[in-house]
């Protein structure tokens, strides 16, 4: 995200004299979805190094959320006077921007942090702090967690999985990250995928069950709609996370196999950011790119890769980073496919509610978001039905 840099000259708050309030206590009881167990696959292995630097994000409480919700439904509902009259990014940012008082309290609270930056309307503030400073800010201990399948490590709050902020700050903050939310990591590996493929023998008839021609027919897509009409001025996007990249050679083979278009007639791609390595390619990103360019053939496609792992900082929260990047882009794709999700129990109510507001902001701009609802359907968990976030948010389409 292109944050605007700010220079701060702030008075030090007397943190020792400040009473602290758990963020979740500010929520109505019916809106509380506290994480009560560690997210599947991650385990605490050691206290985090207190001198280690991490990048934190503070979601500053926004204004006029009821009006945002009204606008979203008005511009999205056929028959209303406002239908189709989407807001610009600047209009959305102006509508929900935090109060000056909220921004001031957050900035004073972050006294001692470095490299402080804000989003265009200051509803997100990012800063670099040491683990020791972060622990003082949120009144909790940070631990190093290791993922069982991938071996990746991150820093998150341990112990009772709660954090608090000073009472005078709490009413101005939606959430702080990284704290309680864990990134969703795929446990698929090259070896496991190869083993699974070797166990399944598919004949020519099996491929006809679901293929690009079948999918296009199911959705009433014809040859005449390939990049024609309004589609020629639109963009569609794939949101990928945690080092997932597509493979252009695989895409070429996919389109040739299913005769989507002529082999040399490939869709136009733009990488955001432009310096994506595409090494190694990932299953999720390749799958997304292959199928979105099948249903939306010959439409300009952007692949938005959010690693969530800035140099020397594997703790960055990738989904928040993507949302803030989207909120800062004046000409994003009109549609995003999001193959990112995990069990809803892995996120807190304050985090989920803020993400829902960010989705509403996108919808008010005319951006459609399609989120994965999970790989195995309803009731797939051994413990019964488990909702998947962010597909469980009400302001998204599910796939």
């Amino acid at each position: 995200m292109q944050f605007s840099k700010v220079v701060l000259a702030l008075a030090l708050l007397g943190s020792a004299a400040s009473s602290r309030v758990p963020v979740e206590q500010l929520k109505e009881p019916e809106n509380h979805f506290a994480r009560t167990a560690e997210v599947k696959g991650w385990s605490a292995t050691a206290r985090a190094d207190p001198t280690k630097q991490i990048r934190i994000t503070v979601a500053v409480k926004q204004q006029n959320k009821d009006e945002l919700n009204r606008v979203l439904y008005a511009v999205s509902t056929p028959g209303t006077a406002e239908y189709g009259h989407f807001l610009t990014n600047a209009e959305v940012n102006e509508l929900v921007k935090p109060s000056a008082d909220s921004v001031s309290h957050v900035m004073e609270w972050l006294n001692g942090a470095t490299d402080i930056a804000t989003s265009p309307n200051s509803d997100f503030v990012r800063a670099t702090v040491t683990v020791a400073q972060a622990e003082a800010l949120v009144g909790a201990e940070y631990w190093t967690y290791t993922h069982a399948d991938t071996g990746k490590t991150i820093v998150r709050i341990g112990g009772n999985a709660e954090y608090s902020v000073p009472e005078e700050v709490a009413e101005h903050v939606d959430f702080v990250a990284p704290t309680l939310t864990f990134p969703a990591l795929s446990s698929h590996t090259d070896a496991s995928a190869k083993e699974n493929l070797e166990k399944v023998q598919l004949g020519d008839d099996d491929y006809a069950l679901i293929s690009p021609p079948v999918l296009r027919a199911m959705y009433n897509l014809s040859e005449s709609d390939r990049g024609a009409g309004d589609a020629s001025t639109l963009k569609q996007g794939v949101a990928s996370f945690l080092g997932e990249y597509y493979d252009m050679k695989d895409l070429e083979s996919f389109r040739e196999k299913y005769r989507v278009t002529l082999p040399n007639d490939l869709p136009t791609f733009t990488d955001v950011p432009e310096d994506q390595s595409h090494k190694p390619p990932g299953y999720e990103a390749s799958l997304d790119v292959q199928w979105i360019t099948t249903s939306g053939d010959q439409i300009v496609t952007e692949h938005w890769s959010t690693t969530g792992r800035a140099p020397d900082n594997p703790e960055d929260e990738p989904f928040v980073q993507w949302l803030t990047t989207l909120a800062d882009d004046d000409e994003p794709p009109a549609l995003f496919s999001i193959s990112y999700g995990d069990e809803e129990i892995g996120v807190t109510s304050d985090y989920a509610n803020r993400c829902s507001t960010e989705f509403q902001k996108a919808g008010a701009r005319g951006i459609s978001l399609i989120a994965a609802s999970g790989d195995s359907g309803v009731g797939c968990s051994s413990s019964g039905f488990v909702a998947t976030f962010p597909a469980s948010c009400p302001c998204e389409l599910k796939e």
Side-chain angles (χ1 to χ4, degrees):
M1 176 178 184
Q2 296 296 318
F3 283 93
S4 58
K5 297 291 182 179
V6 294
V7 178
L8 303 175
L10 303 172
L12 177 64
L13 281 179
S15 58
S18 300
S19 58
R20 307 185 74 87
V21 177
V23 171
E24 59 270 19
Q25 286 186 10
L26 299 175
K27 313 298 177 185
E28 294 296 330
E30 60 269 27
N31 292 334
H32 179 51
F33 300 96
R35 179 168 61 85
T36 58
E38 301 301 344
V39 176
K40 181 174 58 179
W42 294 94
S43 59
T45 53
R47 279 293 303 275
D49 179 356
T51 64
K52 178 181 176 63
Q53 288 194 327
I54 61 175
R55 191 78 171 151
I56 63 171
T57 299
V58 181
V60 186
K61 195 172 293 294
Q62 299 161 317
Q63 301 185 102
N64 304 317
K65 290 189 289 186
D66 289 343
E67 175 62 10
L68 173 65
N69 185 262
R70 186 201 68 78
V71 169
L72 169 64
Y73 282 95
V75 300
S76 305
T77 304
T80 65
E82 297 172 74
Y83 177 61
H85 296 283
F86 302 113
L87 302 187
T88 65
N89 193 27
E91 290 171 334
V92 170
N93 284 333
E94 180 65 23
L95 176 63
V96 301
K97 70 177 182 181
S99 69
D101 187 48
S102 291
V103 176
S104 176
H105 274 82
V106 169
M107 292 300 192
E108 291 181 17
W109 175 56
L110 292 175
N111 182 69
T114 59
D115 195 23
I116 298 179
T118 68
S119 57
N121 67 351
S122 298
D123 59 356
F124 283 100
V125 179
R126 305 191 74 189
T128 298
V129 295
T130 65
V131 167
Q133 288 175 312
E135 292 181 338
L137 285 170
V138 300
E141 294 181 351
Y142 275 88
W143 283 69
T144 298
Y145 283 80
T146 302
H147 193 262
D149 294 323
T150 66
K152 296 185 183 301
T153 60
I154 60 172
V155 171
R156 289 294 186 272
I157 286 176
N160 59 1
E162 294 180 352
Y163 67 92
S164 61
V165 298
E167 186 173 5
E168 63 270 21
V169 176
E171 63 180 287
H172 303 289
V173 170
D174 280 332
F175 69 81
V176 181
T179 49
L180 304 178
T181 302
F182 286 69
L185 294 182
S186 172
S187 60
H188 297 309
T189 63
D190 292 341
S192 64
K194 182 177 180 181
E195 291 172 0
N196 290 335
L197 289 173
E198 289 174 348
K199 295 177 183 178
V200 180
Q201 299 297 323
L202 296 177
D204 292 338
D205 292 339
D206 295 312
Y207 287 107
L209 295 176
I210 183 66
S211 64
V214 171
L215 188 67
R216 290 185 61 82
M218 290 172 62
Y219 283 91
N220 240 0
L221 300 173
S222 64
E223 293 299 314
S224 62
D225 69 17
R226 297 181 187 271
D230 291 341
S232 61
T233 63
L234 297 178
K235 296 186 295 184
Q236 59 189 3
V238 172
S240 294
F241 302 89
L242 301 168
E244 280 280 332
Y245 303 104
Y246 66 91
D247 188 296
M248 184 59 77
K249 290 184 178 179
D250 284 351
L251 177 61
E252 293 175 8
S253 298
F254 180 84
R255 294 174 69 85
E256 183 174 5
K257 176 181 178 64
Y258 291 109
R259 298 180 293 278
V260 177
T261 55
L262 295 175
N264 295 326
D265 191 13
L266 291 172
T268 301
F269 269 92
T270 301
D271 287 344
V272 181
E274 296 181 353
D275 59 350
Q276 295 178 30
S277 66
H278 295 273
K279 295 178 181 179
Y283 297 111
E284 290 286 352
S286 291
L287 183 69
D288 279 0
V289 165
Q290 289 166 9
W291 285 94
I292 198 172
T293 55
T294 292
S295 55
D297 192 24
Q298 299 307 304
I299 296 176
V300 173
T301 304
E302 293 186 351
H303 181 255
W304 285 39
S305 177
T306 305
T307 63
R309 292 193 294 269
D312 300 319
N313 182 27
E315 289 75 44
D316 222 0
E317 170 51 55
F319 199 62
V320 173
Q321 187 180 344
W322 175 73
L323 285 173
T324 56
T325 303
L326 177 62
D328 193 32
D329 195 305
D330 290 333
E331 296 182 356
L335 176 145
F336 270 101
S337 173
I338 309 167
S339 280
Y340 178 93
D342 207 351
E343 295 179 356
E344 191 179 60
I345 195 175
V347 300
T348 58
S349 60
D350 44 281
Y351 181 93
N353 289 334
R354 178 56 181 264
C355 286
S356 182
T357 299
E358 296 302 313
F359 299 147
Q360 292 180 58
K361 287 166 60 179
R365 298 170 60 190
I367 302 170
S368 297
L369 304 175
I370 305 175
S373 58
D375 294 331
S376 305
V378 176
C380 59
S381 171
S382 59
S383 58
F385 171 71
V386 178
T388 300
F389 178 86
S392 56
C393 286
C395 296
E396 288 187 312
L397 301 173
K398 283 66 174 171
E399 63 177 357

